[in-house]
Amino acid sequence: MTPKIAVCPALAILTSLERVTTLVPEVRRQAAGPKLVLATAFLGIFLLNLDSMAMNVALPSIGREFGGSTAALQWVVDAYLLMFAALLLSAGALSDRVGASRAFGAGVAVFTVASAACGLAPGLGELIAARLLQGGAAAVMLPSSLALVRQAFPDAARRARAIALWTVGGALAIAAGPVVGGVLSGTLGWRAIFFVNLPVGVATLVVLARAGRSPRLVRPLDPLGQITAIVALVALTFGVIDGGEHGFGSPVVLGSLGLAAVAAVAFLLVESRVAAPMVPLSLLRSRTVTLSVVIGFVVNAAFYGLVFVLSLHFHDVLGLSAEAAGLMFVPMTAVVAAANLVSARVAARVGPRVPIAAGQAICALALCALLVGDPTAMPVIALLLVPVGFGLGLAVPSLTALLMGEVAADRAGMAAGVLNSFRQTGGALAVAVFGAVAGLRVALVVAVVMLVAATAAALLLPRRFTAD
């Protein structure tokens, strides 16, 4: 799958999702309250992360059934990531245009149907195609779920607490995903991992039907902005994925990254000239917005890069099985949800700057301890991963709440798309780059340097949330 070919399904998925929103009826009853909206968004983010984490555990079982090569199995994961990363920006703009509740409903409906298609796939090709559709639907669900929370909680302090609870949904799914995936694939088979999404998807739609409707943003389309953004993100994601597997010197990878750079420049030129840009560049002139997306990039890069390089270390150096390596991360993921809630409490008392900066500093200090410690002492590694998870869990909710407060409620989807595009890109690049560096210690040094720089940048953020 080349970047140019991948753009076609990306555009097709986005167009189809916009059409699906016309089939989602507007809710005519009064909104049932912000708590119900939060419950809907919570279920959505839980569904996305549970599927993503459980899926990785099932790959060996899928390979045994279909007999696919390692590269083909990798595309079961990468097809999802490719569409997810490619459509985040466009999906955020779509959410504002059609209304967050409609966009979210369409995304959940398509994700649920695609999950059924994954579970029923007769072969590897059909499974990869269904995963493409899942990734596109997930790209719509993520920014629209966050936009729902932004619109339901106009008060800055209550919004910060609500976003913290929203992130708890993702954190719980990340912690439970490998366990659920292992149990289901070991007892009922790998297809059960996808079928378990069906009741969760249906429950989410039922709750959404009672949660009221979101306003639409009446603006003309920005087709050139959509196309150039999709081309840039598809090419970048593909280049990173393929570079991590085959090396960054291959002609295909260099061509993909070159295409991404050209398309990114074209996107900026288009957005600076059209009357109704998909992403107003004036947004990036805000110091708070710019610093927030950069810090989001660093946080994801540090987290996913660290998980990737430690997974290799556990397997190749310590000789752990896949199951044992997964258990090494349980202490870290277990504290993320608690840290999300602490973040909201701290931000309510002293403002968002403190948890954002402190969270990254805690993570950097823990990585420094890992750097000077014994790389073969498994209990020490597991113990030091706890402050890593706590620190990043402390930073993310306040960072998200701060950014969402900087934009009007009717542009919340666009802002969520921008933030999560940078975060997704950070994670993808880190996996590729950290995989190419020479060993655990070099990767830890890179992560520490990035986190220290981002901690310093966080000190330039506002002390308080922006009031509506």
Side-chain angles (χ1 to χ4, degrees), residues 384-403:
L384 289 175
L385 287 179
V386 172
V388 171
F390 185 85
L392 296 181
L394 189 66
V396 170
S398 293
L399 179 71
T400 305
L402 181 64
L403 175 62

Side-chain angles (χ1 to χ4, degrees), residues 367-377 380-381 384 441 444:
L367 295 185
C368 287
L370 274 174
L371 188 61
V372 300
D374 182 358
T376 63
V380 174
I381 294 175
L384 289 175
R441 293 192 182 279
L444 287 173

Side-chain angles (χ1 to χ4, degrees), residues 316-335:
D316 298 338
V317 177
L318 302 184
L320 300 181
S321 65
E323 293 79 6
L327 289 174
M328 288 289 290
F329 291 109
V330 169
M332 178 179 71
T333 56
V335 301

Side-chain angles (χ1 to χ4, degrees), residues 52-123:
S52 179
M53 297 302 294
M55 174 67 238
N56 292 321
V57 181
L59 285 178
S61 300
I62 295 171
R64 285 192 295 269
E65 178 170 337
F66 292 142
S69 65
T70 302
L73 287 175
Q74 186 65 35
W75 272 108
V76 175
V77 176
D78 290 343
Y80 178 95
L81 295 176
L82 187 65
M83 287 301 103
F84 182 69
L87 294 180
L88 269 172
L89 269 182
S90 298
L94 171 69
S95 173
D96 294 329
R97 178 178 171 80
V98 304
S101 56
R102 273 197 165 193
F104 183 70
V108 172
V110 173
F111 189 91
T112 304
V113 171
S115 297
C118 289
L120 297 171

Side-chain angles (χ1 to χ4, degrees), residues 27-377:
V27 180
R28 301 188 185 282
R29 67 187 74 183
Q30 293 294 317
K35 290 184 179 180
L36 195 58
V37 173
L38 178 59
T40 306
F42 182 98
L43 285 172
I45 195 67
F46 182 87
L47 177 63
L48 290 186
N49 284 282
L50 182 69
D51 177 89
S52 179
M53 297 302 294
M55 174 67 238
N56 292 321
V57 181
L59 285 178
S61 300
I62 295 171
R64 285 192 295 269
E65 178 170 337
F66 292 142
S69 65
T70 302
L73 287 175
Q74 186 65 35
W75 272 108
V76 175
V77 176
D78 290 343
Y80 178 95
L81 295 176
L82 187 65
M83 287 301 103
F84 182 69
L87 294 180
L88 269 172
L89 269 182
S90 298
L94 171 69
S95 173
D96 294 329
R97 178 178 171 80
V98 304
S101 56
R102 273 197 165 193
F104 183 70
V108 172
V110 173
F111 189 91
T112 304
V113 171
S115 297
C118 289
L120 297 171
L124 205 54
E126 292 83 0
L127 177 59
I128 291 173
R131 289 285 287 170
L132 283 168
L133 188 59
Q134 260 194 325
V140 174
M141 289 171 62
L142 182 58
S144 58
S145 68
L146 188 51
L148 283 173
V149 176
R150 167 67 178 86
Q151 293 165 5
F153 293 88
D155 176 73
R158 294 188 64 206
R159 181 169 61 242
R161 290 192 293 271
I163 289 176
L165 289 171
W166 177 80
T167 59
V168 165
L172 291 175
I174 288 172
V179 177
V180 171
V183 171
L184 289 177
S185 61
T187 56
L188 302 176
W190 65 266
R191 297 178 187 273
I193 289 175
F194 295 106
F195 289 137
V196 79
N197 293 340
L198 306 188
V200 181
V202 171
T204 305
L205 290 172
V206 169
V207 177
L208 179 64
R210 292 174 49 82
R213 62 185 180 185
S214 301
R216 300 185 183 194
L217 181 64
V218 182
R219 296 175 69 88
L221 288 171
D222 176 16
L224 284 178
Q226 299 270 4
I227 292 171
T228 52
I230 290 173
V231 170
L233 290 170
V234 166
L236 175 62
T237 306
F238 179 88
V240 168
I241 290 171
D242 207 53
E245 185 176 353
H246 299 113
F248 287 90
S250 74
V252 172
V253 172
L254 292 175
S256 297
L257 297 179
L259 176 61
V262 171
V265 172
F267 172 76
L268 293 175
L269 291 174
V270 169
E271 298 303 275
S272 66
R273 285 169 168 74
V274 297
M278 181 177 73
V279 179
L281 297 185
S282 59
L283 179 72
L284 299 179
R285 286 196 286 269
S286 164
R287 184 174 69 178
T288 300
V289 171
T290 301
L291 290 176
S292 295
V293 297
V294 170
I295 292 171
F297 178 97
V298 170
V299 166
N300 264 40
F303 180 79
Y304 288 103
L306 178 67
V307 168
F308 177 77
V309 77
L310 279 176
S311 296
L312 294 179
H313 180 76
F314 293 152
H315 183 270
D316 298 338
V317 177
L318 302 184
L320 300 181
S321 65
E323 293 79 6
L327 289 174
M328 288 289 290
F329 291 109
V330 169
M332 178 179 71
T333 56
V335 301
V336 172
N340 292 159
L341 298 177
V342 171
S343 178
R345 291 182 177 274
V346 174
R349 289 176 177 269
V350 298
R353 181 198 295 178
V354 171
I356 296 170
Q360 294 182 104
I362 290 170
C363 182
L365 289 172
L367 295 185
C368 287
L370 274 174
L371 188 61
V372 300
D374 182 358
T376 63

